[in-house]
Amino acid sequence: MAQATGDPNEMSFLDHLEELRWHLIRSTIAIILIGIVAFLMKDFIFDTVIFGPKKMDFPTYRFFCHIATSLGFDSAFCADKLPFTIQSRTMGGQFSAHIMTSIWAGFIIGFPYVLYEIWKFISPGLKENERNNSRGFILIASLLFFMGVLFGYYVVAPLSINFLGTYQVSKEVLNEFDIGSYISGVRTSVIACGILFELPIIIFFLTKVGLVTPEILKKYRKIALVIVLILSAVITPPDVTSQIIVAVPVIILYQASIYISKFVMRREAKKSKKDVKPI
């Protein structure tokens, strides 16, 4: 197809779509390949990782049990086991759970490569100084994502499982969870926290394009706090303690985002002064 302009280096809209398609294909292939490895590591993925928060020797439970006993309190975190079982209620339930868990494991582990492909797609449209200033984007974004994943796995997921696994409206009702429901709870906690921890990166780019300023972030800080509490309520069990534990790091990230926005604005202002030539 002919180019829209006379510049032979300028790509048409369809060329951009084709380029994007190949970036998505490579990202998908990477996720599938890592997912195949995860599929073959079934015992570790399920017995150690997925069902780890179900066992009372999980580090989070031991930590809270130690704190409780040190203060002289009894705690549900010191129990021998959680009073619920996990079942598969459909013929292909376990196989489907195995497939989907492997794919999500491929996405989580392959997240830096997915970011790399996204960066390769958008970086040609940036100016040279913008590309230089954005060095380290993949590393920082990946670190924030994995920090969120670890926070979700070691804090949010076990708190949710412990609360919901021990909650009963009556002793006549037994907690027997479907495997899909259990894995969905763990996955939601992990992925949601991983995305929430990307807040500073999102604010950085929104400030770069002029959609966000430090003043806007400060002005709507109270509204943001309410939104954070709502998000915390969605990804945690309905108790105040768990919601606060999740909300605190997100609020810290929001405050850090304000400083990041200030830094970007100051740097852009200095750059504008340098670009202004005296008449």
Side-chain angles (χ1 to χ4, degrees), residues 135-200:
R135 286 178 179 174
F137 159 73
I138 298 173
L139 176 62
I140 296 173
S142 298
L143 285 176
L144 287 172
F145 178 77
F146 287 127
M147 286 172 60
V149 166
L150 291 175
F151 181 79
Y153 180 71
Y154 281 104
V155 178
V156 180
L159 288 177
S160 301
I161 292 169
N162 185 274
F163 177 82
L164 297 175
T166 57
Y167 186 83
Q168 286 181 295
V169 294
S170 169
K171 292 185 178 180
E172 296 295 324
V173 183
L174 299 178
N175 282 330
E176 298 176 346
F177 304 137
D178 184 75
I179 184 172
S181 174
Y182 175 87
I183 294 177
S184 176
V186 175
R187 182 179 64 238
T188 301
S189 300
V190 168
I191 298 295
C193 288
I195 295 173
L196 281 175
F197 272 57
E198 294 292 334
L199 181 61

Side-chain angles (χ1 to χ4, degrees), residues 104-150:
W104 279 108
F107 171 75
I108 293 173
I109 298 172
F111 185 77
Y113 181 78
V114 174
L115 278 181
Y116 170 72
E117 288 294 340
I118 294 173
W119 179 249
K120 281 183 65 179
F121 176 70
I122 64 175
S123 60
L126 300 177
K127 297 178 182 178
E128 183 177 355
N129 64 324
E130 291 175 332
R131 286 197 295 268
N132 293 333
N133 293 333
S134 299
R135 286 178 179 174
F137 159 73
I138 298 173
L139 176 62
I140 296 173
S142 298
L143 285 176
L144 287 172
F145 178 77
F146 287 127
M147 286 172 60
V149 166
L150 291 175

Side-chain angles (χ1 to χ4, degrees), residues 46 50-51 54 84-98 100-101 161 164-165 174-187:
F46 282 90
I50 300 296
F51 296 131
K54 183 183 179 296
F84 69 87
T85 58
I86 299 175
Q87 300 182 359
S88 178
R89 301 177 185 275
T90 59
M91 183 71 73
Q94 295 197 53
F95 183 71
S96 297
H98 191 185
M100 292 307 300
T101 300
I161 292 169
L164 297 175
L174 299 178
N175 282 330
E176 298 176 346
F177 304 137
D178 184 75
I179 184 172
S181 174
Y182 175 87
I183 294 177
S184 176
V186 175
R187 182 179 64 238

Side-chain angles (χ1 to χ4, degrees), residues 59-104:
T60 305
Y61 301 142
R62 294 204 308 266
F63 173 75
F64 283 111
C65 176
H66 176 71
I67 292 178
T69 53
S70 299
L71 298 174
F73 297 115
D74 294 328
S75 174
F77 294 111
C78 298
D80 294 329
K81 64 177 183 178
L82 289 170
F84 69 87
T85 58
I86 299 175
Q87 300 182 359
S88 178
R89 301 177 185 275
T90 59
M91 183 71 73
Q94 295 197 53
F95 183 71
S96 297
H98 191 185
I99 293 290
M100 292 307 300
T101 300
S102 299
I103 293 174
W104 279 108

